[in-house]
Amino acid sequence: MNKEETMLAKRLTELSKTAYHRDIVTFSDFLNLNELHILHSIPKNSLSSPYETFGGYEYAERQMVAFLPGALSYAVSYPICVLCVSPAHAKYAEALTHRDYLGAILNLGIERRKIGDLAMQEKGCLVFCRDTIAGFMIEQLTKVRHTVITVRKLEQEGFSYQPKLQEVSGTVASVRLDSVLAIGFPLSRSKLVNYIEGGKTYVNGKLVTSNGYHLKEQDIISVRGLGRIVYGGILSETRKGRYFVRIYKY
């Protein structure tokens, strides 16, 4: 690990100690895929308390870590707010992208680790963020590029978000990582191998560099630069011994 990664591992270890010694739930900021991999790579005997992760909705890529005291027996309430950012006048709005929204937020001086996923909507964007910066964003985020926007906080009670997933199916010789990726991302085998062996592929937040990694149903595969898929499992087996599998593509 480099210096930054070592510092992150140390910080996460300290948060686990705080949860244990003070008997409270402690939270990290949002972690990206590489940072989640570092978390999962910390030896369990180096952490003083168990943990779980959540990013505001199922399948979130950027997630917070909650370190739990041993006596915890209730549901964890994560310090995550959901903001709906949308053009004030749809008629005059530009065609805004994920990058446009994220750029406008970061231009306010907000650190990336305080922001989780941005979920694009038909008319705007949902922003998952740390609760401590929600008020600031509501007040200060007024434009994305040249488009005047409004920001409102969504009530957590009853809130749910389900990303739109496209179902794709195909046959594979085995449920190896490279075979399943070829269904979701129609690239040559050599290019897919480069993504895997080049350290750009994560399964459930853990870095996987082996082409032959065998997937389990509901595994979430994220490939930097390509996107994410959910492995839906085997539907049937063909007479030639191949497997007909289903995936869900973001």
Side-chain angles (χ1 to χ4, degrees):
M1 290 191 292
N2 60 33
K3 183 178 179 181
E4 289 185 1
E5 292 171 340
T6 301
M7 291 295 293
L8 172 64
K10 183 178 180 180
R11 185 163 67 250
L12 294 172
T13 302
E14 289 299 321
L15 286 175
S16 76
K17 289 180 180 178
T18 299
Y20 176 78
H21 290 296
R22 296 181 59 187
D23 198 31
I24 59 172
V25 184
T26 60
F27 298 96
S28 71
D29 288 321
F30 288 97
L31 304 184
N32 62 29
L33 286 172
N34 186 55
E35 292 166 337
L36 286 169
H37 172 68
I38 293 169
L39 166 71
H40 298 318
S41 299
I42 299 174
K44 291 295 187 287
N45 58 8
S46 296
L47 297 174
S48 304
S49 57
Y51 66 82
E52 61 181 42
T53 63
F54 184 60
Y57 68 98
E58 188 179 12
Y59 305 136
E61 184 169 289
R62 299 178 65 88
Q63 300 189 25
M64 282 185 176
V65 188
F67 290 99
L68 315 173
L72 186 71
S73 59
Y74 52 87
V76 176
S77 178
Y78 284 77
I80 297 175
C81 278
V82 186
L83 302 180
C84 180
V85 183
S86 57
H89 308 287
K91 181 178 179 181
Y92 304 106
E94 301 164 273
L96 301 173
T97 66
H98 180 283
R99 178 176 292 185
D100 293 329
Y101 284 103
L102 179 59
I105 293 169
L106 298 183
N107 283 340
L108 295 176
I110 295 174
E111 296 176 294
R112 184 65 180 95
R113 60 193 177 93
K114 300 295 183 181
I115 303 295
D117 284 3
L118 274 65
M120 296 300 295
Q121 305 286 285
E122 185 178 347
K123 297 180 180 180
C125 178
L126 295 181
V127 179
F128 295 82
C129 67
R130 186 92 191 205
D131 58 359
T132 52
I133 66 166
F136 176 78
M137 285 185 58
I138 291 172
E139 291 180 0
Q140 299 298 320
L141 188 59
T142 58
K143 277 189 176 184
V144 176
R145 289 178 60 185
H146 303 293
T147 299
V148 177
I149 53 94
T150 61
V151 184
R152 60 187 177 89
K153 179 180 175 181
L154 301 183
E155 295 298 326
Q156 294 287 69
E157 185 175 349
F159 170 81
S160 65
Y161 169 69
Q162 180 68 40
K164 293 182 179 179
L165 302 177
Q166 175 190 1
E167 183 176 327
V168 183
S169 57
T171 59
V172 294
S174 67
V175 289
R176 289 164 47 108
L177 178 59
D178 54 358
S179 298
V180 173
L181 284 184
I183 297 175
F185 308 109
L187 299 175
S188 68
R189 176 177 171 79
S190 61
K191 287 186 177 180
L192 289 174
V193 167
N194 287 338
Y195 276 101
I196 299 170
E197 295 182 348
K200 296 182 178 180
T201 304
Y202 298 79
V203 179
N204 302 324
K206 296 181 180 180
L207 178 66
V208 175
T209 56
S210 171
N211 302 319
Y213 181 90
H214 277 254
L215 296 169
K216 299 183 295 295
E217 191 169 334
Q218 295 306 306
D219 276 349
I220 303 172
I221 306 111
S222 301
V223 185
R224 292 171 62 183
L226 294 182
R228 283 182 286 168
I229 63 174
V230 180
Y231 172 58
I234 297 173
L235 296 175
S236 62
E237 186 174 351
T238 69
R239 292 181 180 180
K240 294 184 178 181
R242 292 176 64 84
Y243 299 101
F244 189 58
V245 301
R246 172 174 55 198
I247 67 166
Y248 300 97
K249 188 174 181 180
Y250 284 74

